[in-house]
Amino acid sequence: MLFEQIASCGGCLSYLIGCQHSFAAALIDPERSQIERYLALAAQHGVRIRYLIDTHTHADHFSATRELAARLQVPIVMHHSTPVPFVDLRVGDGESIALGQLRIQVMHTPGHTRDSMCLHVENRLFTGDTLLISSTGRTDLPTGDPEALYDSLFNRVLRLDGATLVHPAHEYKNRSHTTLAQELESNPRLQKRDRREFVEMMRSLNLSLPTHLTEALRTNLSGGKTVAQLLAEAAAVVPFMSLDELKEHIARNDQDLAIIDVREREAYVTGHVPGARLLPRGQLELRVNEELPDPTRRILTVCECGHISTLAAATLRQLGFQRVIALDGGMKAWREAGYPMAHD
Ligand SMILES: [Fe+2]
């Protein structure tokens, strides 16, 4: 079978697997930052992605299933207990998905989350966050249950052939895989084989919350956009001007360029780019007609860090200001560079 493991910088692992006879492939636990890479890998291998599978509702990374499903017109697969509303193909324990000659067999393994499943394909087990290398998924996040995890591990997963390869959804030490036998022997959490001891250990882990918990749950459960995605979409339709170029425009007193500071008044009065006019982002749509009567004018938006000015420029472009650009960077970088400031 075709097998590719794709690691992203946060320790998330996703997998492209495929049938080498039919060239049908599936993506397991795709993550948003890797979308172009998945598509490139599928093209490189000459396979067509037919299924997008999330092993569970992720609380720590942004699932790419929704965006890829829209682009590829293929179904999103999750366990039937998932709260995710836009799943196309809900699967249950013991069922399998046909991928050419391959069969992806579903094991419902609740514990890390109620909708967790492991996927068994030939001698490989894609364990999601049920079983990690030398660890297990945590059970203290929404729908987690240490009792259920005990059953999923000791009464299901670990009863499979010990030579089965383990491919988890997370790995922070660059280990590519392990086997069930190795995990049984050396995974510290699996040494607690008594149910009560295992549950007590899981309840006393006291782990810090994942960095993007609320945003990940919000976007993964709703299919909504991440903040980074919103910013990237705005940046894709806006050209930028560098700090140095703006400095030159100011030095030659370029009157053709309207510089619009989109921060709040309190920030503007502490110092701004010479010649910049104040038009806070929050008032942009309300005041745009009186402040910017000429839609053909060349306009530069400026903010503190460069993000809000990009969103403001994208909004202005949508409103028909086709010569709007955003400052690449913001007032923070401008101040730090020691470039001229006005305080009027
Ligand atoms: Fe997870």
Side-chain angles (χ1 to χ4, degrees):
M1 69 187 265
L2 160 73
F3 172 87
E4 283 275 3
Q5 180 183 61
I6 301 106
S8 55
C9 53
C12 298
L13 296 178
S14 39
Y15 300 90
L16 176 71
I17 59 170
C19 165
Q20 284 168 319
H21 302 282
S22 65
F23 307 102
L27 255 179
I28 300 172
D29 289 329
E31 198 255 332
R32 281 203 178 150
S33 67
Q34 305 296 313
I35 284 178
E36 301 303 335
R37 199 160 153 214
Y38 301 134
L39 299 176
L41 273 172
Q44 188 187 334
H45 285 286
V47 294
R48 164 111 160 85
I49 296 169
R50 298 283 306 278
Y51 295 100
L52 302 158
I53 311 174
D54 262 331
T55 53
H56 62 289
T57 306
H58 296 282
D60 55 355
H61 79 228
F62 305 120
S63 171
T65 53
R66 191 99 196 262
E67 191 174 335
L68 280 166
R71 283 172 74 163
L72 301 173
Q73 294 293 303
V74 296
I76 297 170
V77 182
M78 287 186 81
H79 185 258
H80 66 65
S81 67
T82 187
V84 176
F86 47 81
V87 171
D88 304 293
L89 183 57
R90 290 169 182 265
V91 291
D93 189 67
E95 296 174 5
S96 53
I97 300 160
L99 198 62
Q101 294 183 7
L102 290 180
R103 293 291 178 271
I104 304 173
Q105 210 180 343
V106 173
M107 284 176 82
H108 184 213
T109 51
H112 171 61
T113 62
R114 196 180 301 137
D115 64 355
S116 284
M117 53 186 189
C118 292
L119 304 169
H120 198 180
V121 189
E122 295 185 338
N123 64 333
R124 300 173 191 270
L125 189 68
F126 300 91
T127 55
D129 284 356
T130 299
L131 177 62
L132 308 178
I133 298 177
S134 293
S135 189
T136 67
R138 60 198 293 172
T139 53
D140 59 335
L141 296 180
T143 79
D145 177 353
E147 300 262 2
L149 185 64
Y150 179 88
D151 284 323
S152 293
L153 286 170
F154 290 101
N155 297 329
R156 300 295 308 276
V157 170
L158 295 165
R159 291 191 176 178
L160 296 173
D161 183 354
T164 306
L165 301 178
V166 173
H167 297 297
H170 287 102
E171 165 54 29
Y172 305 97
K173 294 181 180 169
N174 290 325
R175 295 166 292 192
S176 70
H177 67 279
T178 177
T179 65
L180 285 176
Q182 281 171 312
E183 290 309 309
L184 247 184
E185 190 188 316
S186 59
N187 185 325
R189 290 196 191 167
L190 299 184
Q191 305 318 305
K192 305 274 186 201
R193 292 184 193 177
D194 173 73
R195 172 187 290 271
R196 198 176 47 81
E197 278 182 29
F198 179 85
V199 169
E200 257 171 37
M201 169 194 65
M202 291 307 295
R203 289 208 167 116
S204 59
L205 287 176
N206 245 327
L207 302 165
S208 55
L209 290 177
T211 326
H212 302 293
L213 176 69
T214 52
E215 190 179 21
L217 286 176
R218 170 175 59 76
T219 60
N220 293 342
L221 286 168
S222 70
K225 290 174 183 174
T226 62
V227 175
Q229 195 181 359
L230 207 65
L231 289 171
E233 285 176 8
V237 295
V238 169
F240 291 90
M241 178 182 278
S242 71
L243 296 175
D244 288 340
E245 203 187 332
L246 175 59
K247 185 166 153 253
E248 282 168 28
H249 276 275
I250 290 169
R252 61 172 189 268
N253 198 18
D254 177 5
Q255 296 296 317
D256 287 342
L257 183 71
I259 307 167
I260 304 294
D261 192 321
V262 298
R263 297 175 300 165
E264 297 300 316
R265 178 172 293 279
E266 302 86 77
Y268 176 82
V269 295
T270 63
H272 52 85
V273 170
R277 286 153 57 188
L278 174 67
L279 178 50
R281 161 99 194 291
Q283 298 175 22
L284 191 64
E285 291 88 344
L286 296 177
R287 290 175 45 196
V288 67
N289 294 329
E290 58 191 79
E291 296 288 334
L292 299 167
D294 179 3
T296 63
R297 183 88 191 269
R298 192 160 190 235
I299 299 164
L300 174 75
T301 57
V302 178
C303 70
E304 181 62 17
C305 294
H307 294 319
I308 299 299
S309 56
T310 306
L311 292 173
T315 301
L316 287 170
R317 283 199 166 242
Q318 277 186 324
L319 289 170
F321 295 86
Q322 290 304 315
R323 296 186 67 210
V324 179
I325 54 178
L327 186 62
D328 194 5
M331 289 308 297
K332 185 170 181 287
W334 183 266
R335 281 193 304 273
E336 284 168 6
Y339 288 172
M341 296 283 284
H343 300 274
D344 50 272

